[in-house]
Amino acid sequence: MSKNVLVTGGAGYIGSHACKALRDAGYTPVTYDSFVTGWREAVKFGPLEEGDLMDRDRLDAVFARWEPIAVMHFAALSLVGESMRNPGLYWRHNVLSSLSLIEAACAAGCQNFVFSSTCATYGDQDGVVLNETTPQHPINAYGGSKRAIEDMLRDFGASHGLNSVIFRYFNVAGADPEAEVGEFHQPETHLIPLMLDAIDGRRPALTVFGSDYPTADGTCIRDYVHVCDLVDAHVLGLKWLEAGKGSDVFCLGSGKGFSVREVIAQSQAVTNREVPIIEGDRRPGDAAVLVSGSTKAERDLGWTPKRSNLTTMIADAWRWHQNGHYDS
Ligand code: UFG
């Protein structure tokens, strides 16, 4: 019998890679997406159910039709800057839609839940290397909304027996090495795709957001993890839930931080092209350093990141960037 997994946001960057990994691992990923930010062409690896997470009747019908063994919840607004300008959007969209989904899952008796959380829940920790026990003090509404959903999952675990694996992502980068799916946002705000746009002339230049951070070269430091490694961890998290191991939280990062300038230098090396640069102001809501110091996912889930080195991430992103994009 096929093991269905309801993948919210399956038409997005990370969700579409997760669908491929689930399909390859023998599951049927059922994408649930509203196409506010997702792409129809990215739904390639299983059935599609179009709908809004706030539409509880629609969700109930989808749970009844597919009887998923688990939910993987990727659907969210995820832009730090936008969340600073419009916090209401993030609290409403991320928190209320997750509540609707969690209640629908509980009502349908689907007790396994994998959730995409973020290192943005930690806030600015003065360069502290982060792990699952580091206190969370978000400095933007995006991080705040994700932390609220983490709390919600714990409450529904206590009251309804919902088991959740929460993954706190660091900076997700790269693309499917076969370039069937990749990173494509409209508008794009992320460093690596914007830099590749500047390299191939689709944009005039990359603006470096702030050169006066308390780091060696003055630019922000982030921990980049390959999207394929990240979604592999989700499949392991699903297996953990299927094995009845209960709820837990895992950081997903490479354990190494790179500054914006280091990422630029590496991209120039990989593509053998210049990145035109403009020195800009700091972007509100940005922490100076976000680096994972955790090996818990490796230890407990048996996660072995294979492609999370900067060269491979940029090379995979570049391959996709040159050939792939979505129109609808
Ligand atoms: N940056 C620039 N110029 C740009 C874009 C980004 O200098 O044009 C810098 C940012 O200031 C930051 C770094 O590059 O220092 C990475 O920025 P991204 O926008 O690529 O990623 P973020 O670190 O802001 O965000 C990512 C995820 C979020 C997550 C967050 C945690 O997209 O979902 O990490 O901070 F919450």
Side-chain angles (χ1 to χ4, degrees):
M1 204 177 94
S2 107
K3 290 206 239 180
N4 300 332
V5 177
L6 188 67
V7 183
T8 75
Y13 169 41
I14 301 171
S16 60
H17 287 79
C19 286
K20 182 168 181 175
L22 285 166
R23 196 257 339 245
D24 291 350
Y27 298 90
T28 300
V30 179
T31 289
Y32 189 87
D33 206 293
S34 65
F35 296 102
V36 169
T37 55
W39 302 96
R40 285 175 201 280
E41 298 137 277
V43 185
K44 294 184 168 167
F45 310 108
L48 166 67
E49 292 279 5
E50 186 166 351
D52 194 298
L53 287 171
M54 292 301 289
D55 185 346
R56 184 56 200 278
D57 291 342
R58 178 89 182 98
L59 271 179
D60 287 346
V62 167
F63 273 102
R65 177 174 181 197
W66 297 99
E67 297 180 349
I69 58 158
V71 174
M72 279 193 189
H73 181 30
F74 297 98
L77 298 177
S78 61
L79 303 179
V80 168
E82 181 183 59
S83 84
M84 296 296 285
R85 292 189 298 276
N86 194 348
L89 190 64
Y90 277 70
W91 285 98
R92 192 172 307 106
H93 190 99
N94 288 353
V95 178
L96 296 184
S97 64
S98 297
L99 177 59
S100 169
L101 174 67
I102 291 168
E103 287 185 323
C106 289
C110 176
Q111 292 198 302
N112 296 325
F113 203 101
V114 180
F115 176 56
S116 346
S117 189
T118 167
C119 61
T121 59
Y122 292 113
D124 209 341
Q125 305 259 356
D126 238 357
V128 168
V129 174
L130 305 164
N131 64 39
E132 293 78 6
T133 61
T134 309
Q136 294 164 291
H137 302 294
I139 56 168
N140 52 60
Y142 168 62
S145 71
K146 288 282 183 172
R147 188 185 62 174
I149 302 162
E150 290 193 12
D151 289 344
M152 205 187 280
L153 286 169
R154 279 185 272 272
D155 287 347
F156 278 82
S159 64
H160 288 70
L162 184 71
N163 295 307
S164 58
V165 165
I166 294 169
F167 288 118
R168 292 187 191 138
Y169 307 165
F170 286 68
N171 283 56
V172 188
D176 171 24
E178 292 164 359
E180 285 193 271
V181 283
E183 181 168 18
F184 189 68
H185 297 104
Q186 209 69 281
E188 187 53 79
T189 64
H190 294 98
L191 176 64
I192 292 176
L194 285 176
M195 191 167 42
L196 299 179
D197 275 351
I199 285 177
D200 72 8
R202 287 184 219 189
R203 283 171 208 269
L206 174 81
T207 303
V208 174
F209 293 146
S211 311
D212 58 349
Y213 283 97
T215 59
D217 67 19
T219 64
C220 291
I221 293 177
R222 293 287 181 273
D223 177 339
Y224 295 84
V225 57
H226 196 293
V227 64
C228 292
D229 288 336
L230 185 97
V231 298
D232 283 351
H234 287 62
V235 174
L236 293 169
L238 174 59
K239 292 187 170 160
W240 163 284
L241 289 169
E242 282 189 282
K245 294 189 179 173
S247 299
D248 216 331
V249 180
F250 300 95
C251 288
L252 296 179
S254 74
K256 278 203 204 76
F258 294 96
S259 71
V260 173
R261 287 201 205 291
E262 285 172 326
V263 175
I264 293 170
Q266 194 59 29
S267 300
Q268 295 187 146
V270 168
T271 62
N272 206 18
R273 306 224 200 144
E274 276 293 304
V275 182
I277 285 169
I278 296 170
E279 302 288 341
D281 294 336
R282 289 185 181 198
R283 183 174 64 176
D286 271 349
V289 180
L290 286 168
V291 178
S292 169
S294 177
T295 52
K296 186 177 165 192
E298 293 173 41
R299 189 190 67 212
D300 294 355
L301 296 176
W303 183 48
T304 43
K306 298 179 189 80
R307 305 187 74 80
S308 293
N309 64 78
L310 202 51
T311 308
T312 305
M313 285 186 277
I314 293 168
D316 286 350
W318 181 231
R319 186 180 310 108
W320 157 259
H321 190 85
Q322 287 171 297
N323 302 312
H325 63 90
Y326 305 125
D327 298 313
S328 63

